[in-house]
Amino acid sequence: MHIAQELRKNNIVEYLLYMWQVEDIIRVYDCNLFKVEQGYLSQFKLEDDDRDEVVDWYANLITMMNREGKRQQGHLDINRILVGQLQELHEALLESTRFPFYTSAYYKTLPFIVELRNKGNKEYSEIETCLNALYGVMMLRLQQKEISDDTKHAIEQITLLLGMLSDYYQQDRKGELQLEEDPI
């Protein structure tokens, strides 16, 4: 919970990847709070107040997953909305002439996005496709599986693009991002 709060403030992409991992952890424990407490949370040394907060946070996530029908797969609506906001910002950055470095990073990443979409679900937005790629590689690394050099190269480029997007997202939330040219 505390990790999620910090990530949400500082890096929205890392926050989403973390939340997707939390969703999967909850699924491993059958969306059952008792099982999450016993099998997962018990391994952390939490003070009583922190423990209560964390348990409440997981309970709320479990409730949302049950209500939204996400017990087996999919992402919580609160996370899908964030992905949608990132996609909208991505499109706005590309439409603006003020962000040539972002546009350049996008065009360097585009072949990888196209390849991933051709291999997977074509209905995912470009940003969700990139997030899925990062999450998939993260899972492979956790399983200590080999990652090809081509995949590593693609992930480096995707990470660069999403890192820039995350920075622009934070600027936008603070009201510091100006997408339009100044009127003369």
Side-chain angles (χ1 to χ4, degrees):
M1 179 193 85
H2 298 292
I3 295 169
Q5 291 170 336
E6 279 303 305
L7 288 173
R8 182 151 185 166
K9 280 192 288 190
N10 298 317
N11 189 317
I12 198 66
V13 169
E14 288 181 10
Y15 168 79
L16 283 167
L17 295 173
Y18 177 79
M19 290 303 297
W20 288 5
Q21 186 177 22
V22 168
E23 291 169 346
D24 283 344
I25 289 168
I26 290 171
R27 287 185 187 106
V28 165
Y29 295 100
D30 300 320
C31 295
N32 180 303
L33 183 58
F34 179 76
K35 289 180 180 180
V36 169
E37 282 185 87
Q38 297 302 307
Y40 181 67
L41 296 178
S42 63
Q43 48 190 318
F44 303 106
K45 295 181 186 343
L46 299 170
E47 299 295 323
D48 288 342
D49 290 344
D50 286 339
R51 181 170 179 68
D52 292 344
E53 269 186 83
V54 170
V55 169
D56 285 347
W57 187 69
Y58 274 89
N60 287 330
L61 290 174
I62 290 168
T63 299
M64 286 189 279
M65 288 174 73
N66 285 320
R67 284 189 184 149
E68 295 175 18
K70 306 290 169 60
R71 289 180 61 92
Q72 301 299 321
Q73 64 181 3
H75 301 297
L76 289 168
D77 290 347
I78 57 173
N79 296 328
R80 295 181 51 74
I81 289 167
L82 284 174
V83 172
Q85 290 172 350
L86 284 174
Q87 180 65 34
E88 288 173 13
L89 178 58
H90 165 72
E91 291 167 5
L93 290 166
L94 293 176
E95 288 174 12
S96 175
T97 59
R98 296 180 62 91
F99 305 95
F101 294 114
Y102 184 81
T103 301
S104 175
Y106 168 70
Y107 283 112
K108 288 178 183 173
T109 310
L110 185 57
F112 303 117
I113 296 171
V114 170
E115 184 178 345
L116 288 165
R117 289 177 91 181
N118 285 335
K119 289 180 180 178
N121 189 335
K122 291 176 177 65
E123 297 193 18
Y124 289 143
S125 70
E126 290 180 328
I127 297 306
E128 189 166 1
T129 298
C130 290
L131 288 165
N132 282 328
L134 289 182
Y135 190 74
V137 167
M138 186 174 82
M139 292 296 105
L140 289 173
R141 286 184 175 141
L142 285 172
Q143 297 168 25
Q144 299 179 350
K145 293 193 176 175
E146 191 69 28
I147 299 165
S148 73
D149 289 339
D150 288 344
T151 299
K152 287 178 187 173
H153 178 68
I155 290 302
E156 286 172 9
Q157 189 59 47
I158 289 168
T159 300
L160 175 70
L161 180 72
L162 290 182
M164 293 174 76
L165 182 60
S166 181
D167 290 344
Y168 287 130
Y169 179 87
Q170 295 305 332
Q171 289 176 28
D172 190 42
R173 292 297 162 243
K174 294 176 186 173
E176 299 170 355
L177 186 67
Q178 185 178 354
L179 291 166
E180 303 297 321
E181 295 290 332
D182 289 326
I184 298 176

